[in-house]
Amino acid sequence: MSLIVVGSMAFDAIETPFGKSDKIVGGAATYIAWSASNFTRPVYQISVVGGDFPKEEMKMLEARGVSMEGVQVKENEKSFFWSGRYQMDMNVRETLETQLNVLGHFRPVVPESYQDCEFLMLGNLAPSVQWSVINQLKERPRLVVLDTMNFWMESAMPDLERVLKKIDVLLVNDSEARQLSGQFSLVTAAREIMDMGPKYLIIKKGEHGALLFYEDQVFFAPALPLEVVFDPTGAGDTFAGGFIGHLARVKDISFESMKTAIIVGSAMASFCVEKFGVTRLKELTREEIDMRIRGFKDLTSFDIELV
Amino acid sequence: MSLIVVGSMAFDAIETPFGKSDKIVGGAATYIAWSASNFTRPVYQISVVGGDFPKEEMKMLEARGVSMEGVQVKENEKSFFWSGRYQMDMNVRETLETQLNVLGHFRPVVPESYQDCEFLMLGNLAPSVQWSVINQLKERPRLVVLDTMNFWMESAMPDLERVLKKIDVLLVNDSEARQLSGQFSLVTAAREIMDMGPKYLIIKKGEHGALLFYEDQVFFAPALPLEVVFDPTGAGDTFAGGFIGHLARVKDISFESMKTAIIVGSAMASFCVEKFGVTRLKELTREEIDMRIRGFKDLTSFDIELV
């Protein structure tokens, strides 16, 4: 069941308490594709890069079953660049520099060959770009998942509100859920956000796990307690890739199925943070992934025996 | 299987964003006894109060099977008093006033009738007081659980280090675990703390749940996502009471059993925060408790079906 992934393919420069990276390959769609392609292929990628984006990175993704037909290459321009710094509390990050470059005027085009897609992952991007992709699809996908961030709530709220009405699952972190709803309690926030459009809401809480809300039900997925979070960049995108990749694989979009998908996403994110950038994702084996998913089961399972 | 509970019985005055309490009955041992007595009786209470402590509160506890023989009443003195304020982020609290009163010179005496106890819950108190109770017991209990806080790490670290060598399970919150170990990563912190004495470590993370560490295993218990946390005072003590109360009931102190005990503790804590003080704990039914424990199962259970 094919999956379209929309998002940035870009460069990042990252500082953490454990080290500093050079300008390395990143971007939401890069992480999502590396993560999702463990579970479903082909992945139909939609993005834009400059002439500076390494061709071999695109070839490596193609070799994984990620189609580059929808990735525009602007040879005479530069790719999106972000640099940021994390403190010991990796849940908070500081942006040092943002260069929009090719992303500043990105007009996504959905290739004809992508039209049969059943799953659509709208990675973090301008809501107007996310909206454009939805509208280019002749048939609505079975499941539309959208990731966004506080930046768009501040700069493009009307666009965001419009696209929220068109999606099934929204991914945000806890502070973004509070900002979007104006509510402090995550339970109240979730209810108000679901009234804005999405049927399902996933609130990511970094090292504290994630919550999935649907109607009046809630599911709590832990994060694996890790000795070292080396670099949290891309963890949310890797989570999203594992989440939608699993759903596309099992072709079941029920609440029960989404619970497992969140565990798969959490397992993938726990790998991502072990090394800079997508390094760890590139070397992953299916056995490692399965073992870690089982680790999540052990982490939370208990027996109840009531009197 | 009898349980000794040691801790303060006191007055609190609490301000939250949702309201302000009068001077109400509180104290670690009060919360622990109300919580634990749902699961095991008798509860052998050890504490000290002034003449101002309401006799009817003690009678209500006695009616629940909580023995007051070890509670010293200093008729001409005043009970311990604490007042504090919470902001919207209930994980952080500000102390407005502390009056030690009777607690300043508390010398616990373990009554002869308490000597057969198998479970010992050392609520948050001066480590020298906790130490004194351990040493008055002729036979070491099967399980000794200790709760403490940053205040004792700052003012009585040698006493705390001494008592940590004598216990089985330590309860602290995440910032206290970091302070005690000098480590930021909770996994590394846990290993260092277990080297200080306790075989098991529970790290409470408030609305983010709790972690149980034992050797190289870890268990993650969620907190119930709540619409309103009305007053978090006593939540940690109520958790401790549910935890040790469950263990005393099932008489099984294995790692597996402790996982369930943590869920029971979390369920009890989720009731505690719904109203000021022990109000909600007093009106609880066994059916409500069972239903909430089942709710925790639903909150985290998922099916894995790997390829």
Side-chain angles (χ1 to χ4, degrees), chain B residues 175-242:
Chain B
S175 71
E176 290 158 353
R178 289 179 171 133
Q179 183 169 347
L180 187 56
S181 64
Q183 294 289 340
F184 189 85
S185 150
L186 294 180
V187 177
T188 315
R191 196 177 308 124
E192 302 220 348
I193 291 170
M194 290 190 286
D195 281 344
M196 298 168 87
K199 281 188 284 295
Y200 297 87
L201 172 66
I202 296 172
I203 299 181
K204 298 171 290 181
K205 305 198 297 171
E207 62 161 329
H208 303 302
L211 295 167
L212 166 66
F213 293 91
Y214 170 59
E215 292 176 349
D216 56 357
Q217 298 176 76
V218 57
F219 171 68
F220 185 109
L224 213 60
L226 297 171
E227 192 130 1
V228 173
V229 174
F230 189 78
D231 169 22
T233 309
D237 304 313
T238 305
F239 174 94

Side-chain angles (χ1 to χ4, degrees), chain B:
Chain B
M1 295 298 103
S2 56
L3 163 66
I4 293 181
V5 171
V6 187
S8 56
M9 296 178 69
F11 290 113
D12 294 328
I14 302 151
E15 287 177 38
T16 81
F18 307 107
K20 197 171 160 168
S21 78
D22 293 328
K23 198 168 154 182
I24 57 173
V25 165
T30 308
Y31 285 100
I32 296 169
W34 273 108
S35 181
S37 57
N38 286 288
F39 308 98
T40 187
R41 299 179 189 184
V43 171
Y44 292 148
Q45 196 87 333
I46 294 181
S47 190
V48 62
V49 297
D52 54 353
F53 196 85
K55 300 287 179 288
E56 64 271 25
E57 290 288 335
M58 298 176 72
K59 287 213 185 79
M60 287 171 79
L61 281 169
E62 275 181 327
R64 297 270 295 192
V66 181
S67 163
M68 290 291 139
E69 199 186 335
V71 179
Q72 301 167 29
V73 183
K74 310 277 187 187
E75 286 297 349
N76 300 316
E77 299 179 45
K78 289 172 77 181
S79 301
F80 176 72
F81 172 74
W82 175 82
S83 85
R85 180 160 44 202
Y86 299 87
Q87 307 297 332
M88 279 306 278
D89 179 354
M90 297 271 189
N91 295 325
V92 182
R93 76 180 182 188
E94 178 192 352
T95 291
L96 299 173
E97 193 182 349
T98 303
Q99 296 173 11
L100 279 182
N101 299 330
V102 290
L103 218 56
H105 50 92
F106 177 35
R107 297 280 169 276
V109 178
V110 179
E112 191 54 37
S113 65
Y114 286 19
Q115 284 290 349
D116 66 341
C117 100
E118 295 203 277
F119 291 84
L120 174 57
M121 178 68 230
L122 297 162
N124 175 38
L125 262 185
S128 59
V129 172
Q130 296 172 321
W131 170 263
S132 162
V133 172
I134 293 178
N135 280 287
Q136 289 178 53
L137 294 172
K138 292 166 193 162
E139 226 172 298
R140 189 187 189 281
R142 276 182 68 201
L143 193 78
V144 180
V145 181
L146 182 141
D147 189 15
T148 190
M149 69 185 294
N150 52 355
F151 179 76
W152 308 114
M153 297 171 197
E154 287 147 23
S155 61
M157 192 59 183
D159 288 349
L160 181 58
E161 285 176 328
R162 184 178 61 161
V163 77
L164 286 181
K165 294 195 175 69
K166 293 279 195 178
I167 66 163
D168 301 298
V169 184
L170 175 65
L171 300 175
V172 284
N173 68 30
D174 44 359
S175 71
E176 290 158 353
R178 289 179 171 133
Q179 183 169 347
L180 187 56
S181 64
Q183 294 289 340
F184 189 85
S185 150
L186 294 180
V187 177
T188 315
R191 196 177 308 124
E192 302 220 348
I193 291 170
M194 290 190 286
D195 281 344
M196 298 168 87
K199 281 188 284 295
Y200 297 87
L201 172 66
I202 296 172
I203 299 181
K204 298 171 290 181
K205 305 198 297 171
E207 62 161 329
H208 303 302
L211 295 167
L212 166 66
F213 293 91
Y214 170 59
E215 292 176 349
D216 56 357
Q217 298 176 76
V218 57
F219 171 68
F220 185 109
L224 213 60
L226 297 171
E227 192 130 1
V228 173
V229 174
F230 189 78
D231 169 22
T233 309
D237 304 313
T238 305
F239 174 94
F243 175 77
I244 201 157
H246 174 81
L247 292 177
R249 183 176 78 76
V250 298
K251 306 171 192 63
D252 172 358
I253 58 170
S254 66
F255 183 63
E256 284 307 312
S257 180
M258 283 193 197
K259 291 180 179 179
T260 311
I262 283 188
I263 297 293
V264 173
S266 301
M268 295 307 295
S270 76
F271 286 116
C272 175
V273 303
E274 290 178 357
K275 297 190 177 175
F276 270 131
V278 291
T279 316
R280 187 70 178 95
L281 299 181
K282 286 181 179 175
E283 66 193 25
L284 267 185
T285 66
R286 184 67 220 198
E287 288 64 39
E288 285 179 295
I289 296 172
D290 288 352
M291 201 186 300
R292 191 150 299 183
I293 292 171
R294 278 196 206 93
F296 273 83
K297 188 85 191 170
D298 295 340
L299 188 63
T300 54
S301 62
F302 60 91
D303 294 321
I304 335 177
E305 194 191 311
L306 301 170
V307 208

Side-chain angles (χ1 to χ4, degrees), chain A residues 3-10 26-33 35-36 43-48 80 93 103 106 108 119-134 137 143-152 159-160 163-164 167 169-172 176 204 234-245:
Chain A
L3 164 66
I4 293 181
V5 172
V6 186
S8 57
M9 296 178 69
T30 307
Y31 285 100
I32 296 170
S35 181
V43 172
Y44 292 146
Q45 196 87 334
I46 294 181
S47 191
V48 62
F80 176 71
R93 76 181 183 186
L103 218 55
F106 178 35
F119 291 84
L120 173 58
M121 178 68 231
L122 298 163
N124 175 38
L125 265 184
S128 58
V129 172
Q130 296 172 321
W131 169 263
S132 161
V133 172
I134 294 178
L137 293 172
L143 193 77
V144 180
V145 180
L146 182 141
D147 189 15
T148 190
M149 69 184 294
N150 51 356
F151 179 77
W152 307 115
D159 288 348
L160 181 58
V163 75
L164 286 181
I167 66 164
V169 184
L170 174 66
L171 300 175
V172 284
E176 289 158 355
K204 299 171 288 180
D237 304 313
T238 306
F239 174 94
F243 175 77
I244 201 157

